[in-house]
Amino acid sequence: MSTVMFEKRFLLLTISVLEMLLFSGIIYGWTSLVYILKQEGYFSDLCVTSSANNTQQTTQILLSTNASTQDAPRYPECLEQDETLTQVFAISVVASQVASLFAGIALDYFGLRVTRTCFSVLMATAGLLLGFSTREYPYVYLVYPGMILVGMCANITLLANVTVGNLFGTRRSTVITIITGSFGSSPITFLVQKLLYVQFGVPFQHMCFTLACLCVPSLMATFTLFPRRKFIPESQQETRKDSQETEKLQQENKSEEKSESAEPTEETFVQVVTSRLYLLHLAYMSVMNLNVIILVGTANIWFNMVTGNNNGQVSFWTDVFGFFQVSNVLVSPLCGFVYDLGLRGHAYGGPTRTSRRRAAVPVFVITSLTSTLVFFFAALSVWDTPSVESSTGLLMTSAPDMFLTFVLHILSRAFIYGGNTAFIANSFPGRHLGRLIGLSYMVAGLVGLLQYPLIGWIKTAGSPLYVYILVLVLSVATFVHPAYIRYHCRTGPTKEGRHPSQATPEKSENGHLKLEVSDPKETWV
């Protein structure tokens, strides 16, 4: 396989980013979608058959204030409708978590083309199901399979596109975090649908059919631009090219293969999963993912407390927080830049597995620090405001402090998911990459279900203060992860049997310096 041209590499990256924004984590734009579903009267029949007490709580709403929708029908809202729609979201999120591991297995065993075809077909089917759904029975229940398929596509799309980073050499981690950051910004899809629906009166069904049609060019790109199995890194391509130039290099490659066969065999999937390093990373990732879920899930409660239940201010801060969430794709490359910078600083003897692991230490330290500061400020903002201001001089309910908290949250979120993907891709055998990433998201998602008892605790206590303090303590505990990586890389021997401090010697070949590197198959997809 020849080196991929510069223009084609950026074309593939552009396609991957667009697919991530359109198809990946759009389930997390549920707040925008549920607004449309309520306006369309989905499950509003439950309000008509509800009890007298619940009927008294029913409110009437207009579909839109737009002149084109003045005569639109009004539909009731009630607690039963909210609970049913929340159930749709919860089932979809669980489907997304469970599908992560199966997506990783598909990528490892069946290749890139099969994985991409799966998410294109699933998303097209989801768009058609949502497009054919209406408020009338039984079509209203098409929302369930439609949203479940949307949830399943989330991490399948991520795993199908993250391998594009192999085409960018030393900037690999930066590109991976750009693609991962697009996952965090993908709720913009439903946000745009909401704006089109409210401001221009575009029918919901038409937008769903359009989303399904957008899967066609994605499927065409799968069979024309993407390989069947995997992308081969540039470094591996150059090695193959050089080995074909002269008979001498071919003989050297054969001798290197013989020496490699005498080395210990590559770690199996079970050995990696049961290793201390990976298990500790799972715990770290689970805590960080729970941090994001708790902050997003309690944002409305948080805003009501800091504004004294002022609806206008709550709406303002909700919009500001939403736009900060969408900007994740712009911040995520910073994580990859830090990772690649650390890799260049530690790879003095060649990009060995040890150097790649040590390069992740600054990323994890920044992640733990920003997450700790987020919940430190959040806890102060819901504490006794006069006491905090008199003792620290900080007015945590002021606009600058709120903006600072939002910025720290976006930094933390970008480093969490981008760092997770980059660390696994650079630290463990590449033939297990899909399963390892899928397993990490699945475990983190299942641990994220703890949000329900924690939110129940908030309702009982009447304040998120104690939950924020608990999450703050957990964030401080995550500093153990980068500390262990540093300790592990200093004391543990590498796969090649050398101590990490023993750099791989440089060899002279044809007047040029050549760095020995570890088996590229151990980390590249």
Side-chain angles (χ1 to χ4, degrees), residues 112-129:
L112 186 59
R113 187 168 293 174
V114 172
T115 308
R116 288 182 53 83
T117 302
C118 285
F119 89 71
S120 297
V121 173
L122 290 176
M123 182 55 69
T125 305
L128 293 176
L129 289 172

Side-chain angles (χ1 to χ4, degrees), residues 242-259:
D242 292 340
S243 65
Q244 296 174 357
E245 290 180 352
T246 62
E247 183 69 23
K248 180 180 178 180
L249 291 180
Q250 290 179 354
Q251 294 176 354
E252 289 180 355
N253 287 338
K254 291 180 181 180
S255 63
E256 287 177 3
E257 291 177 359
K258 291 180 181 180
S259 63

Side-chain angles (χ1 to χ4, degrees), residues 445-509:
L446 293 177
V447 173
L449 295 177
L450 291 174
Q451 63 175 306
Y452 296 108
L454 291 177
I455 292 177
W457 185 12
I458 292 175
K459 292 180 179 179
T460 302
S463 170
L465 175 62
Y466 298 110
V467 172
Y468 287 170
I469 292 176
L470 173 62
V471 178
L472 172 63
V473 172
L474 292 176
S475 299
V476 173
T478 59
F479 281 100
V480 173
H481 186 38
Y484 178 78
I485 293 176
R486 192 170 183 84
Y487 170 79
H488 177 80
C489 293
R490 280 186 172 182
T491 60
T494 62
K495 174 178 176 289
E496 293 83 358
R498 301 185 305 272
H499 192 276
S501 60
Q502 297 173 338
T504 307
E506 297 178 343
K507 289 185 177 182
S508 177
E509 184 175 292

Side-chain angles (χ1 to χ4, degrees), residues 280-281 283-285 287-288 291 364-365 367-369 371-372 469-484:
L280 188 59
H281 181 70
Y284 159 88
M285 183 61 189
V287 171
M288 288 302 176
N291 291 2
F364 293 143
V365 169
T367 308
S368 299
L369 179 61
S371 181
T372 300
I469 292 176
L470 173 62
V471 178
L472 172 63
V473 172
L474 292 176
S475 299
V476 173
T478 59
F479 281 100
V480 173
H481 186 38
Y484 178 78

Side-chain angles (χ1 to χ4, degrees), residues 363-495:
V363 173
F364 293 143
V365 169
I366 293 174
T367 308
S368 299
L369 179 61
T370 53
S371 181
T372 300
L373 290 175
V374 165
F375 283 94
F376 175 73
F377 290 145
L380 286 180
S381 65
V382 298
W383 197 23
D384 186 8
T385 304
S387 300
V388 173
E389 186 177 5
S390 61
S391 59
T392 64
L394 297 174
L395 181 59
M396 296 310 303
T397 57
S398 64
D401 292 326
M402 292 293 284
F403 279 118
L404 175 61
T405 306
F406 293 163
V407 170
L408 289 171
H409 167 66
I410 295 304
L411 281 174
S412 174
R413 184 174 179 180
F415 274 72
I416 288 171
Y417 300 109
N420 173 59
T421 306
F423 175 72
I424 294 177
N426 285 287
S427 301
F428 301 104
R431 62 192 181 96
H432 309 314
L433 178 66
R435 286 168 290 172
L436 293 176
I437 295 178
L439 181 61
S440 69
Y441 280 113
M442 187 182 74
V443 172
L446 293 177
V447 173
L449 295 177
L450 291 174
Q451 63 175 306
Y452 296 108
L454 291 177
I455 292 177
W457 185 12
I458 292 175
K459 292 180 179 179
T460 302
S463 170
L465 175 62
Y466 298 110
V467 172
Y468 287 170
I469 292 176
L470 173 62
V471 178
L472 172 63
V473 172
L474 292 176
S475 299
V476 173
T478 59
F479 281 100
V480 173
H481 186 38
Y484 178 78
I485 293 176
R486 192 170 183 84
Y487 170 79
H488 177 80
C489 293
R490 280 186 172 182
T491 60
T494 62
K495 174 178 176 289

Side-chain angles (χ1 to χ4, degrees), residues 270-423:
V270 175
Q271 289 175 330
V272 172
V273 170
T274 56
S275 65
R276 291 182 181 178
L277 184 62
Y278 186 75
L279 290 176
L280 188 59
H281 181 70
L282 281 183
Y284 159 88
M285 183 61 189
S286 300
V287 171
M288 288 302 176
N289 184 64
L290 181 63
N291 291 2
V292 173
I293 293 175
I294 289 297
L295 191 69
V296 174
T298 63
N300 186 260
I301 302 174
W302 177 31
F303 297 151
N304 274 284
M305 288 201 65
V306 299
T307 62
N309 295 313
N310 185 308
N311 290 331
Q313 293 185 26
V314 170
S315 177
F316 170 75
W317 287 118
T318 301
D319 293 340
V320 172
F321 187 65
F323 282 110
F324 268 93
Q325 295 279 85
V326 171
S327 67
N328 190 75
V329 67
L330 303 176
V331 181
S332 58
L334 181 61
C335 173
F337 174 77
V338 173
Y339 202 115
D340 289 334
L341 188 64
L343 182 59
R344 286 193 291 269
H346 289 293
Y348 43 79
T352 62
R353 182 181 297 179
T354 298
S355 66
R356 288 190 290 267
R357 288 174 174 173
R358 292 183 65 184
V361 171
V363 173
F364 293 143
V365 169
I366 293 174
T367 308
S368 299
L369 179 61
T370 53
S371 181
T372 300
L373 290 175
V374 165
F375 283 94
F376 175 73
F377 290 145
L380 286 180
S381 65
V382 298
W383 197 23
D384 186 8
T385 304
S387 300
V388 173
E389 186 177 5
S390 61
S391 59
T392 64
L394 297 174
L395 181 59
M396 296 310 303
T397 57
S398 64
D401 292 326
M402 292 293 284
F403 279 118
L404 175 61
T405 306
F406 293 163
V407 170
L408 289 171
H409 167 66
I410 295 304
L411 281 174
S412 174
R413 184 174 179 180
F415 274 72
I416 288 171
Y417 300 109
N420 173 59
T421 306
F423 175 72

Side-chain angles (χ1 to χ4, degrees), residues 17-30 32-33 36 123 130 150 182-197 204 207-208 210-212 214 326:
V17 171
L18 290 176
E19 287 179 348
M20 293 297 295
L21 292 173
L22 288 171
F23 308 130
S24 60
I26 62 176
I27 183 65
Y28 297 102
W30 174 255
S32 300
L33 179 62
I36 300 177
M123 182 55 69
L130 292 175
V150 168
S182 303
F183 182 95
S185 297
S186 57
I188 194 176
T189 297
F190 283 149
L191 177 60
V192 171
Q193 286 192 3
K194 175 179 175 289
L195 294 175
L196 293 174
Y197 180 85
F204 170 62
M207 291 186 288
C208 293
T210 301
L211 188 64
L214 289 174
V326 171

Side-chain angles (χ1 to χ4, degrees), residues 34-44 63 75 81 133-135 197 202-205:
V34 76
Y35 176 86
I36 300 177
L37 296 179
K38 283 188 173 183
Q39 300 298 320
E40 288 287 302
Y42 282 63
F43 300 108
S44 60
L63 183 65
Y75 299 107
Q81 181 191 35
S133 67
T134 62
R135 64 176 298 272
Y197 180 85
V202 180
F204 170 62
Q205 285 74 16

